[in-house]
Amino acid sequence: MNDKIKQAYDLLASCRLCPRKCGVNRLKDEQGFCKAGLVPMVSSFHAHFGEEPPISGYSGSGTIFFTHCSLRCLFCQNYPISQMGEGKEVSTEELSNMMLALQKKGCHNINFVTPTHYMPQIIEAVFLARDKGLNIPLVYNCGGYESLESLEILKGIIDIYMPDMKYSDNSVAEKFSFAPDYFEVSKSAVKEMYSQVGDLKIEKGIAKKGLLIRHLVLPDGLAGSEAIFDFIVRELSPDTYVNIMAQYYPCHNSFKFPELSRRITRREYLDALDLAKHKRLSGGFRQVLKTIDRERVPEWTDDLKEI
Ligand code: SF4
């Protein structure tokens, strides 16, 4: 067995794939916080045209949506998949065939959505698929709550990291995502990702390699945007490609919390953009959602100044 695959599966024996380090034996199908067992579960796979333009391109991003999640955010918009187990078990052979089918369709990349808790199975499938001709970039589309040990294994395998940076206030992260160390963990993780792949490189409109950070603006400043932008500029690069997202809407358990029970206002979104500009993130800014009122149809722009 390939060394990387072996190292990855070793993490499952007393599971420490993610920073929760539950210690359950996933090789024996025991379940920890994320509820994932040994066999990976997938809810869907298809060409996705709603990702960021350099990710979706003109032929779509080859997304594979994994069931379960190591964060379980109370406002998760995909909660039937991430928290209620929607999906079906697939072998690593089937997973590799999904990748090849997406490549055959013309997708620009393979986009692993919520991959953290199935990292060993995913890389095993990647090696199988590569033997059969897979050669498009691999995107690791994750919540940003990642362990350095897992990321080290992914070095040289993943081409594009697409992590969230959700919160800078750990008390908020604890309340809504049960992750009281989220900010420190996500900062270390994103720094490691950046050291592996650098700034996003785009050729003829299509992303080939690099880091793309997503930041969802929450009501009442709960996401703590300023500290996150500050970190990105100071410790990564002002050229970091950041998608500041406006599409928050209350769902799942959000209604139990008054502060999460509404969409953000236009003013809140514009304030987040101002913060990004103020922190001089605008130099590397490439894309934001343009419309946040009423219809909320995502429109993309290439420059913050167009907002
Ligand atoms: S991947 Fe799941 S079982 Fe493993 S440490 Fe994280 S939450 Fe726990």
Side-chain angles (χ1 to χ4, degrees):
M1 187 189 273
N2 174 307
D3 277 354
K4 291 260 187 192
I5 299 173
K6 183 178 178 323
Q7 280 173 35
Y9 272 96
D10 284 349
L11 298 181
L12 285 176
S14 173
C15 193
R16 55 181 198 277
L17 269 188
C18 87
R20 295 199 188 275
K21 296 185 177 153
C22 296
V24 294
N25 189 344
R26 298 267 309 274
L27 296 173
K28 291 191 174 168
D29 217 26
E30 291 173 9
Q31 297 176 3
F33 180 89
C34 64
K35 308 271 186 235
L38 176 60
V39 181
M41 287 182 71
V42 168
S43 72
S44 66
F45 70 107
H46 53 264
H48 188 5
F49 292 87
E51 301 283 48
E52 289 79 350
I55 301 295
S56 280
Y58 46 87
S59 295
S61 175
T63 42
I64 302 178
F65 285 84
F66 290 95
T67 305
H68 304 302
C69 181
S70 56
L71 273 174
R72 295 189 7 215
C73 305
L74 294 176
F75 51 85
C76 181
Q77 297 170 358
N78 291 325
Y79 68 94
I81 301 166
S82 63
Q83 298 177 36
M84 296 174 75
E86 193 177 288
K88 69 170 200 139
E89 290 189 342
V90 295
S91 66
T92 50
E93 183 77 34
E94 287 172 306
L95 197 48
S96 71
N97 289 337
M98 288 175 190
M99 298 177 203
L100 293 165
L102 292 166
Q103 175 172 277
K104 197 171 173 194
K105 257 187 165 175
C107 292
H108 302 289
N109 48 60
I110 302 298
N111 183 346
F112 302 117
V113 183
T114 324
T116 307
H117 50 292
Y118 291 128
M119 183 273 283
Q121 298 89 333
I122 289 170
I123 64 168
E124 183 183 7
V126 163
F127 282 106
L128 285 172
R130 280 189 179 161
D131 284 345
K132 293 185 270 186
L134 182 75
N135 58 15
I136 54 179
L138 303 180
V139 182
Y140 206 69
N141 182 346
C142 61
Y145 194 61
E146 315 300 315
S147 83
L148 294 180
E149 205 173 6
S150 286
L151 290 174
E152 181 60 32
I153 293 170
L154 291 169
K155 190 174 181 176
I157 297 174
I158 295 299
D159 301 285
I160 298 168
Y161 283 106
M162 200 153 70
D164 293 326
M165 286 199 85
K166 293 174 185 288
Y167 316 100
S168 64
D169 182 335
N170 283 333
S171 65
V172 179
E174 180 172 22
K175 187 172 179 183
F176 300 133
S177 298
F178 313 99
D181 53 355
Y182 181 88
F183 195 35
E184 286 70 34
V185 166
S186 67
K187 283 193 289 187
S188 301
V190 171
K191 277 166 86 169
E192 172 61 25
M193 293 172 191
Y194 185 69
S195 78
Q196 289 183 20
V197 295
D199 287 321
L200 196 67
K201 289 165 196 68
I202 299 172
E203 293 172 15
K204 296 182 182 165
I206 306 298
K208 298 293 181 186
K209 185 174 181 172
L211 174 69
L212 189 166
I213 296 174
R214 289 172 161 175
H215 176 66
L216 179 68
V217 180
L218 294 174
D220 281 347
L222 288 168
S225 306
E226 183 168 9
I228 288 172
F229 299 154
D230 198 53
F231 158 76
I232 292 169
V233 170
R234 285 174 189 270
E235 301 202 40
L236 302 178
S237 155
D239 294 329
T240 306
Y241 194 116
V242 182
N243 176 13
I244 300 178
M245 301 187 292
Q247 68 262 45
Y248 174 80
Y249 64 88
C251 65
H252 191 32
N253 285 312
S254 313
F255 293 104
K256 294 180 181 168
F257 302 91
E259 63 272 44
L260 285 182
S261 298
R262 65 168 174 85
R263 290 183 159 182
I264 62 168
T265 63
R266 184 173 182 81
R267 184 69 261 155
E268 284 173 320
Y269 186 60
L270 293 176
D271 284 349
L273 297 183
D274 282 346
L275 279 171
K277 268 199 278 197
H278 179 68
K279 297 288 175 188
R280 300 188 186 282
L281 197 54
S282 56
F285 222 88
R286 293 290 181 274
Q287 156 190 98
V288 288
L289 282 172
K290 196 172 178 184
T291 306
I292 63 164
D293 287 333
R294 297 176 191 88
E295 295 303 321
R296 305 234 167 191
V297 178
E299 292 178 30
W300 298 94
T301 179
D302 288 335
D303 193 310
L304 190 57
K305 294 180 186 71
E306 291 178 12
I307 298 299

